[in-house]
Amino acid sequence: MTTAAAGGADEAPPADTQARGGTSVPAPRKPGSGQPPTRKVPSRKSVTGTRRVIAALFLLPALVLLGALVVYPIVYSVYRSFFDQAGTGFAGLDNYKALFSDDTIRTAIKNNAIWVVLAPTVSTVLGLIFAVLTERIRWGTAFKLIVFMPMAISMLAAGIIFRLVYDQAPERGVANAVWVGVHDTFSESAGFPKAHPLPVHPLKAAGGGSFVTKVPVRAGQPVQLPLVGVLPAKMPSDAKPARAPATVNDGKITGTAWLDFTQGGGGKPNVIDPKELGLKGIKVEAVKDGKVVASATAGADGTFTLPAAADGAELRLPASNFKEPYNGVDWLGPTLVTPGIIGSYVWMWAGFAMVLIAAGLAGLPRELLEAARVDGANEWQVFRRITVPMLAPVLAVVLVTLMINVLKVFDLVFIIAPGSSQDDANVLALQLYRSSFGTDADLGIGSAIAVLLLLLVVPVMLFNIRRIRKEGRR
């Protein structure tokens, strides 16, 4: 008893205390004991269990960077947009009024609207089509890889590629080479643009770009139709040396159409020299009283034969022989430059849309699709009423991402659009660059454009945040 009383360290805690967490916390008093219950209040902690001060210290570097790289530029841009070009005079809303009164900036706003509507929609639709179709083909993975490969190319490189693709000259621009090839397949093309006779030749101008013989032709008298002004590069590759036609006695009209020019000199006018080539493919018409009574096409050596009905007629080389050849479409002209650049953007980003949609497609419940097919739905009905509605969240992600990306497109427009069409292809990001840099830089206008871009992005971001929250509550 004495030892227990003396050992303070070994004394048992009073009956009115309880050990909690290594500390003695007074237990609640019974009612009527006269002393209120006392408890130790724990320090406040965050949701993760970390003390708020420690959490704030860890977040401080990130907050400093966020403020320096995001918040400060936004605030300063808004502030600077209310000042004039020099930055010393308060301009009020004048810079914002200029956005909607300046023709160049209004064109940029209009083009941005076209971009936001067309580019994400076309990219998403193509991505959806590619993702659905490649599910059922044997080489689907290889096809997806090919479609996705442009994503590995920078905007700068893609711009250079499509600047060449859209080149006006068919021998350099792939787009015009294909277009001209298709056109020439269904429409006859001219063979000898800018060809014409010399004054000493037996031909004269007949109006409308055609040429006729100075005197009517007669059977048994070979007709000469010499021309000059055809570049050697424009001559048919299979043209042969010109020769005089064979003599015939059946009343037919024969003749030769040739290039009356000898490279290196030495040739004589109206004489078929050995080095002169026939105008293969040139069309010859026999005209009597303003009506065409016969026609023929010259062979590789330039010779042609007309029936006896041409006797006494004038021979005419119609204007179709000399019109300028079809040179394709001016893809980078004022009319088509914006759709052309959007096409290059779709080429790059359709693969991105396809990969995301294919990932969502892989997660669809197959039993639901099979059940619809068993119930009699065809593939189009399954696609329209089941696949697309179930892919709606993924499609929304793709559309929102591409819309945000499109609002700040700059590289493609700057590189692809030539100087003569850059105003017609202008977008807000490009106008922001042009207004903010250079000798005529107006940082007030540039800051106003930056604020406008921010305001255009905010609704899309709010929609995206709302969608993410909605998805999280499911």
Side-chain angles (χ1 to χ4, degrees):
M1 296 293 292
T2 306
T3 305
D10 296 330
E11 289 182 357
D16 59 347
T17 63
Q18 297 176 1
R20 296 183 182 178
T23 60
S24 296
V25 180
R29 295 283 184 177
K30 293 182 180 181
S33 61
Q35 294 183 4
T38 58
R39 291 181 179 274
K40 185 177 180 181
V41 180
S43 62
R44 299 184 66 183
K45 296 183 179 180
S46 66
V47 176
T48 59
T50 309
R51 297 184 184 278
R52 293 182 183 273
V53 175
I54 297 176
L57 290 176
F58 275 100
L59 290 174
L60 184 60
L63 293 175
V64 171
L65 286 175
L66 185 67
L69 301 179
V70 178
V71 178
Y72 172 74
I74 292 176
V75 173
Y76 183 76
S77 295
V78 174
Y79 167 79
R80 184 65 179 83
S81 67
F82 292 105
F83 286 82
D84 58 11
Q85 181 176 5
T88 56
F90 184 74
L93 297 177
D94 291 347
N95 291 326
Y96 291 95
K97 292 178 182 178
L99 299 184
F100 301 96
S101 60
D102 185 271
D103 291 337
T104 303
I105 302 178
R106 282 194 300 178
T107 301
I109 296 174
K110 181 193 72 174
N111 288 339
N112 258 102
I114 295 173
W115 271 88
V116 169
V117 172
L118 285 183
T121 304
V122 175
S123 299
T124 304
V125 170
L126 285 178
L128 177 62
I129 293 173
F130 291 156
V132 172
L133 294 182
T134 51
E135 259 202 329
R136 296 172 176 264
I137 63 176
R138 183 177 180 184
W139 299 98
T141 303
F143 180 81
K144 289 178 182 178
L145 179 62
I146 293 173
V147 175
F148 188 75
M149 279 179 62
M151 282 293 298
I153 302 175
S154 67
M155 287 281 196
L156 174 65
I160 295 173
I161 291 171
F162 274 86
R163 181 65 181 269
L164 296 175
V165 168
Y166 291 138
D167 196 290
Q168 180 67 42
E171 59 270 16
R172 293 195 301 269
V174 175
N176 264 341
V178 174
W179 194 269
V180 170
V182 173
H183 175 272
D184 291 348
T185 301
F186 299 98
S187 178
E188 184 179 359
S189 60
F192 308 100
K194 299 182 180 180
H196 60 278
L198 292 173
V200 296
H201 285 162
L203 290 167
K204 64 180 180 179
S210 62
F211 302 99
V212 299
T213 54
K214 295 177 180 178
V215 296
V217 297
R218 297 296 178 185
Q221 298 178 0
V223 182
Q224 294 182 334
L225 302 177
L227 293 173
V228 294
V230 183
L231 296 175
K234 297 294 183 181
M235 288 293 293
S237 58
D238 53 349
K240 296 180 179 179
R243 65 178 181 84
T247 304
V248 293
N249 299 316
D250 53 1
K252 294 182 179 180
I253 302 296
T254 59
T256 304
W258 81 98
L259 179 62
D260 194 13
F261 173 77
T262 303
Q263 294 189 25
K268 296 180 179 180
N270 297 328
V271 176
I272 300 175
D273 296 304
K275 295 183 179 180
E276 295 174 349
L277 300 176
L279 297 175
K280 179 188 176 183
I282 197 167
K283 188 176 181 180
V284 182
E285 297 175 342
V287 181
K288 285 184 179 180
D289 300 326
K291 295 182 180 180
V292 178
V293 296
S295 63
T297 302
D301 56 3
T303 59
F304 60 89
T305 303
L306 291 167
D311 186 20
E314 293 180 334
L315 296 192
R316 180 175 67 185
L317 300 178
S320 58
N321 291 313
F322 312 110
K323 66 180 181 180
E324 290 292 333
Y326 181 70
N327 204 33
V329 177
D330 188 8
W331 297 102
L332 299 181
T335 305
L336 295 177
V337 62
T338 295
I341 300 174
I342 290 177
S344 66
Y345 180 90
V346 170
W347 176 76
M348 289 190 66
W349 287 88
F352 167 81
M354 178 196 65
V355 169
L356 290 187
I357 295 172
L361 199 60
L364 294 184
R366 299 297 166 180
E367 60 274 9
L368 185 60
L369 303 178
E370 294 301 326
R373 295 188 180 99
V374 170
D375 289 341
N378 56 37
E379 291 300 323
W380 169 246
Q381 290 172 329
V382 172
F383 173 77
R384 183 167 60 91
R385 298 188 176 183
I386 298 178
T387 304
V388 172
M390 294 186 70
L391 284 175
V394 179
L395 296 177
V397 170
V398 174
L399 271 174
V400 170
T401 303
L402 293 181
M403 287 175 68
I404 295 173
N405 185 269
V406 157
L407 283 172
K408 57 184 181 180
V409 66
F410 165 79
D411 318 59
L412 289 177
V413 181
F414 183 72
I415 296 168
I416 296 178
S420 58
S421 301
Q422 202 165 84
D423 285 343
D424 300 287
N426 199 15
V427 290
L428 285 174
L430 177 59
Q431 185 60 40
L432 171 61
Y433 169 79
R434 294 167 68 178
S435 297
S436 302
F437 300 96
T439 55
D440 296 329
D442 189 339
L443 293 181
I445 296 291
S447 299
I449 296 174
V451 173
L452 177 61
L453 275 174
L454 176 64
L455 294 177
L456 292 175
V457 171
V458 166
V460 182
M461 293 297 300
L462 291 178
F463 171 80
N464 202 25
I465 293 171
R466 186 177 179 183
R467 182 193 58 78
I468 293 173
R469 289 179 177 176
K470 187 177 179 181
E471 289 290 324
R473 288 196 296 267
R474 291 183 178 180

